[in-house]
Amino acid sequence: MFSIQIVMVILNQFQHFYHTCSKLLIGLVGAVFAALEPTIPYILVCTLAVFADCVSAWLLSKRVKKKYPGKSHGKFKSNAAGRVFLSLLKIYSLIFLTQLIDTYIMPTWDMHLSNIIAGAVCFWQLWSILENESSCNNAKWAKIAQKIMIDKTERHFDVDLSELKDKKDDKK
C-alpha cells in the first residue's frame, strides 16, 4: 500500500513536470514566432529570389551541357543545395538581426534595416540571375550584358572557355 502511494506521488510529480515543460516550450515557440513575425515578408521575398537564382543556374548548366557535351553535368548537385541552404540561413539571420536592431537598439531611427538588407539580397540575386541568363548565350542582349557581367560558364561548371575557344578557332 505504501509503495503504491509513492508510485502515485512520483507519477503525479512527473505529470506536473511534463505539463510545466510543455507549457514552457509552447511559450518559447510563441515568443520566437512573435519575434520572427515581422521578418516573414522579407524572408519570403528573399527565399523566392534565391530559388529563382537556383533555377537560372540549373538552366545555365543545361545550356552548357548542350553546347559543350561532356564538360557539364547538366544537373543540380547536392553540394550546391548545401550552399544554397547555408546562404538562406545567413540571409534569415541577417534579416532577423536587423529587425531586432530596428526594434530594440534604434527604435527612433527610421532606417528600416530589414528593408535595406532584403533589397540588397534581392538585387544580388537578380544580378546573379542576369549573369546566369547571359552566360553561354548567343543572344545579342547577352553579348552586351557580358561586357559588364562575368561569364559564369567557366566558374560554375569547370569549363575552361579559353580551351573551348581555341578548339572552335582551329575548326574554322
Side-chain angles (χ1 to χ4, degrees):
M1 184 78 160
F2 181 69
S3 62
I4 293 175
Q5 289 176 340
I6 292 174
V7 170
M8 292 303 289
V9 168
I10 291 172
L11 285 175
N12 197 12
Q13 290 297 322
F14 178 75
Q15 188 177 25
H16 178 69
F17 177 74
Y18 174 75
H19 287 301
T20 303
C21 287
S22 62
K23 288 178 184 178
L24 179 65
L25 182 64
I26 290 171
L28 286 173
V29 168
V32 168
F33 182 76
L36 287 175
E37 191 270 329
T39 64
I40 290 173
Y42 309 119
I43 286 173
L44 289 176
V45 171
C46 290
T47 302
L48 288 174
V50 168
F51 285 156
D53 185 33
C54 290
V55 169
S56 69
W58 173 66
L59 292 173
L60 171 58
S61 177
K62 291 217 165 271
R63 282 195 308 275
V64 170
K65 182 179 180 180
K66 185 177 180 181
K67 191 169 183 176
Y68 306 110
K71 295 287 186 179
S72 176
H73 48 78
K75 298 177 182 174
F76 190 74
K77 292 185 175 181
S78 60
N79 64 347
R83 287 193 313 265
V84 168
F85 181 72
L86 190 61
S87 293
L88 284 173
L89 286 178
K90 290 176 184 177
I91 291 166
Y92 298 164
S93 299
L94 190 59
I95 289 173
F96 182 63
L97 179 64
T98 56
Q99 180 67 30
L100 291 176
I101 290 170
D102 273 343
T103 304
Y104 298 109
I105 296 176
M106 300 185 309
T108 57
W109 291 18
D110 249 358
M111 293 268 307
H112 303 291
L113 293 174
S114 297
N115 291 8
I116 295 168
I117 294 300
V121 167
C122 288
F123 178 77
W124 163 41
Q125 294 304 314
L126 290 174
W127 188 270
S128 180
I129 290 168
L130 285 174
E131 286 176 341
N132 288 337
E133 291 301 316
S134 65
S135 296
C136 198
N137 191 339
N138 291 329
K140 188 174 182 174
W141 73 267
K143 298 291 182 189
I144 294 169
Q146 285 301 308
K147 293 186 186 283
I148 58 170
M149 295 179 167
I150 62 167
D151 191 341
K152 288 186 171 182
T153 308
E154 182 175 358
R155 186 178 76 176
H156 284 276
F157 302 109
D158 298 327
V159 175
D160 187 0
L161 292 180
S162 61
E163 286 179 14
L164 296 173
K165 289 178 183 175
D166 292 339
K167 287 180 185 177
K168 280 185 148 183
D169 292 339
D170 292 340
K171 290 181 182 178
K172 289 182 181 178

